[in-house]
Amino acid sequence: MAELTQRDVAYEANGTRMIGCLVASAAAPGGCVGAPLPGILLVHDAFGLGADTIALAARYAKLGYAVFAADVWGERTEAHDGADIGRLIGSMVGDRDDWMARLAAAHEAAAAQPEFDADRTVIVGACFGGSSALEYVRTGAPVVAAVSIHGGLDLVAHDWSAATGSATVLLCTGADDPMAAPEHWQPVKAGLTGAGLDWEFDLYSGTQHAFTNPKADALGMPGAASHPRNAARAWARTIDFLGEVTGAAAGIRTSAR
Amino acid sequence: MAELTQRDVAYEANGTRMIGCLVASAAAPGGCVGAPLPGILLVHDAFGLGADTIALAARYAKLGYAVFAADVWGERTEAHDGADIGRLIGSMVGDRDDWMARLAAAHEAAAAQPEFDADRTVIVGACFGGSSALEYVRTGAPVVAAVSIHGGLDLVAHDWSAATGSATVLLCTGADDPMAAPEHWQPVKAGLTGAGLDWEFDLYSGTQHAFTNPKADALGMPGAASHPRNAARAWARTIDFLGEVTGAAAGIRTSAR
């Protein structure tokens, strides 16, 4: 596997300075690859853009993607407790235009990187990042696809009339996730369907919020728990899906199908 | 890939003679494999055990499974029209004990084959075969897992109190399948959860009944249509799932995960 490039990229929206992180194969573009790589706009969970998210970006980058990890909170702010999380998420839900402007600015900054093929952008995120991915699609963003891993579906607004794109959407959700209960995901499904978007909704039994986060159990957050088996399932499904929607077969996966 | 063995196996239940078909690598057992292979009890759709189901059995067998294709209708009966289907399915729903006896007899016949590791049996089926897989689990059958691909969930009864096993269940279902509408799958989910069984439910938008059947469009059946993209998704998910639940990594799939 090729060596990875990793570099910080500053950008801004509405006066907020954000410091994203680009991670991609050091061979792209040029080298044996010779062309920009399909791009993942990776949105962090409520804890902000820290070491865990950058490690996740590297995991995707090793599979052949150019990954731009966004810094939605700005200045690499990290949440440390429930009060931080409540304040940060509340500020986005209270000003959805600012939330989307921050994502769009990250997308623009990503598109300016030579490794990142903006015409093949997939927005991917877990928890708050999943909510962000869905909101970005709901508001008509130009991505080919979106992946929400235990996204907080309770944060997604219900008016999908601006979702005029053709994004394909994958949701991997725990059946016992209080932030993605049936009353939350029914409007998401209805909105996606009403907008004519293609979606797949994978539901895992006995699975709570934040199930891909190995630290979820230590958080002591009601309704959140890690589930390594289903984290592996969601990862495998996401990798297959990314290959399908970006047409990025080379190096992504070999299969005996 | 090793050559395949294929042979008919006659068995019976309640006076009905059935002629199943075993398909497996010719190298198992003995040869380089040296042990029975994880077993798939494959249940046909409403059309009966014909060439299409045997071709599907070979597709699984090439991946390293011993596949026993059951002949639920008996004597290799094939349905030719809606009237046949209605009569055949009606006879099973009208006598669920006989339906389950036919599956149990197929399972027993499979277990008697040297290639087939009955301790690692997964029951797999599409349409009526998916209903059969779920019914077999619901009634407490000794399988490690079950896969229902656009199973007719409307055929599954609601009393899961006999499902005392530990089977893991995968359902891949079209969101526009009239035989697996929300009013049909909610009781299945509730039953599985109530019985303490592990399940994954994958729902595909814009997808009707029989979506893995390339001939579905020609049937002119309301609510049924092929969907090659989602057939490929369901196949990929099923293969991953089979590998996970049977521990059958060797030869099943290579992965860049």
Side-chain angles (χ1 to χ4, degrees):
Chain A
M1 178 51 61
E3 201 181 332
L4 296 181
T5 292
Q6 179 181 325
R7 63 178 178 274
D8 291 346
V9 178
Y11 58 101
E12 73 95 34
N14 298 333
T16 301
R17 180 168 172 269
M18 295 168 278
I19 309 161
C21 183
L22 185 284
V23 189
S25 163
C32 63
V33 175
L37 298 167
I40 293 177
L41 182 60
L42 183 64
V43 186
H44 54 72
D45 63 13
F47 293 94
L49 179 50
D52 291 344
T53 299
I54 291 174
L56 181 60
R59 204 171 163 207
Y60 284 117
K62 284 176 187 161
L63 296 176
Y65 296 96
V67 187
F68 190 90
D71 172 33
V72 180
W73 299 155
E75 299 286 5
R76 290 283 170 97
T77 300
E78 294 190 49
H80 297 101
D81 54 29
D84 286 350
I85 289 173
R87 179 177 51 77
L88 289 163
I89 290 183
S91 70
M92 294 293 101
V93 173
D95 186 349
R96 289 179 190 266
D97 287 346
D98 186 37
W99 185 4
M100 292 306 104
R102 292 179 188 218
L103 294 178
H107 196 180
E108 193 175 336
Q113 309 307 310
E115 296 91 343
F116 194 102
D117 182 353
D119 290 337
R120 286 186 291 166
T121 299
V122 182
I123 185 165
V124 177
C127 299
F128 169 77
S131 317
S132 296
L134 292 168
E135 277 292 282
Y136 202 48
V137 168
R138 187 185 66 79
T139 54
V143 292
V144 296
V147 179
S148 166
I149 308 291
H150 49 76
L153 304 187
D154 53 342
L155 302 184
V156 179
H158 292 188
D159 176 4
W160 287 76
S161 58
T164 53
S166 58
T168 300
V169 177
L170 172 67
L171 302 100
C172 296
T173 295
D176 300 336
D177 183 340
M179 294 154 205
E183 66 266 29
H184 303 129
W185 47 259
Q186 294 292 14
V188 172
K189 280 186 193 173
L192 289 165
T193 300
L197 300 181
D198 178 270
W199 53 266
E200 174 179 332
F201 191 98
D202 294 358
L203 198 62
Y204 306 111
S205 73
T207 307
Q208 301 184 52
H209 191 65
F211 67 87
T212 65
N213 186 347
K215 299 175 182 169
D217 299 340
L219 297 174
M221 200 170 98
S226 67
H227 195 307
R229 205 280 314 278
N230 288 346
R233 287 186 178 186
W235 173 255
R237 183 65 197 104
T238 299
I239 296 308
D240 269 357
F241 177 81
L242 290 171
E244 177 193 312
V245 296
T246 65
I252 303 301
R253 186 164 192 175
T254 55
S255 153
R257 279 172 220 167
Chain B
M1 179 49 62
E3 202 181 333
L4 298 181
T5 290
Q6 179 181 325
R7 65 177 176 274
D8 290 346
V9 178
Y11 58 101
E12 74 94 33
N14 299 332
T16 301
R17 181 167 172 266
M18 296 167 278
I19 309 160
C21 182
L22 185 285
V23 190
S25 164
C32 62
V33 176
L37 299 167
I40 293 177
L41 182 59
L42 183 64
V43 186
H44 54 73
D45 62 13
F47 293 94
L49 179 51
D52 292 345
T53 299
I54 291 174
L56 180 61
R59 205 172 163 204
Y60 284 118
K62 284 178 186 161
L63 297 175
Y65 296 94
V67 186
F68 190 90
D71 172 32
V72 181
W73 299 154
E75 300 286 3
R76 289 285 170 95
T77 301
E78 294 191 49
H80 295 101
D81 53 30
D84 286 350
I85 290 175
R87 179 179 52 79
L88 290 162
I89 289 183
S91 69
M92 294 294 101
V93 173
D95 186 349
R96 288 178 190 267
D97 288 345
D98 186 38
W99 184 5
M100 292 306 103
R102 293 179 186 217
L103 294 177
H107 196 180
E108 193 176 335
Q113 309 307 310
E115 296 92 341
F116 193 103
D117 184 353
D119 290 336
R120 287 186 292 166
T121 299
V122 183
I123 184 167
V124 176
C127 299
F128 169 77
S131 317
S132 295
L134 292 167
E135 278 291 284
Y136 201 48
V137 169
R138 186 184 68 79
T139 54
V143 292
V144 296
V147 178
S148 165
I149 308 292
H150 49 75
L153 304 187
D154 53 344
L155 302 185
V156 180
H158 293 187
D159 176 3
W160 286 76
S161 58
T164 53
S166 59
T168 300
V169 177
L170 172 66
L171 303 99
C172 296
T173 295
D176 299 336
D177 183 339
M179 294 155 205
E183 65 266 29
H184 303 130
W185 48 258
Q186 294 292 14
V188 172
K189 282 186 190 171
L192 289 164
T193 300
L197 300 181
D198 178 90
W199 52 266
E200 174 180 331
F201 191 98
D202 295 358
L203 198 62
Y204 306 111
S205 72
T207 307
Q208 301 182 56
H209 191 64
F211 67 86
T212 65
N213 185 347
K215 299 174 182 169
D217 300 340
L219 297 175
M221 200 170 99
S226 68
H227 194 309
R229 205 279 315 280
N230 288 344
R233 287 187 179 185
W235 172 256
R237 182 66 197 103
T238 299
I239 296 307
D240 270 357
F241 177 82
L242 290 171
E244 178 193 311
V245 297
T246 63
I252 303 299
R253 188 164 193 175
T254 55
S255 153
R257 279 172 218 166

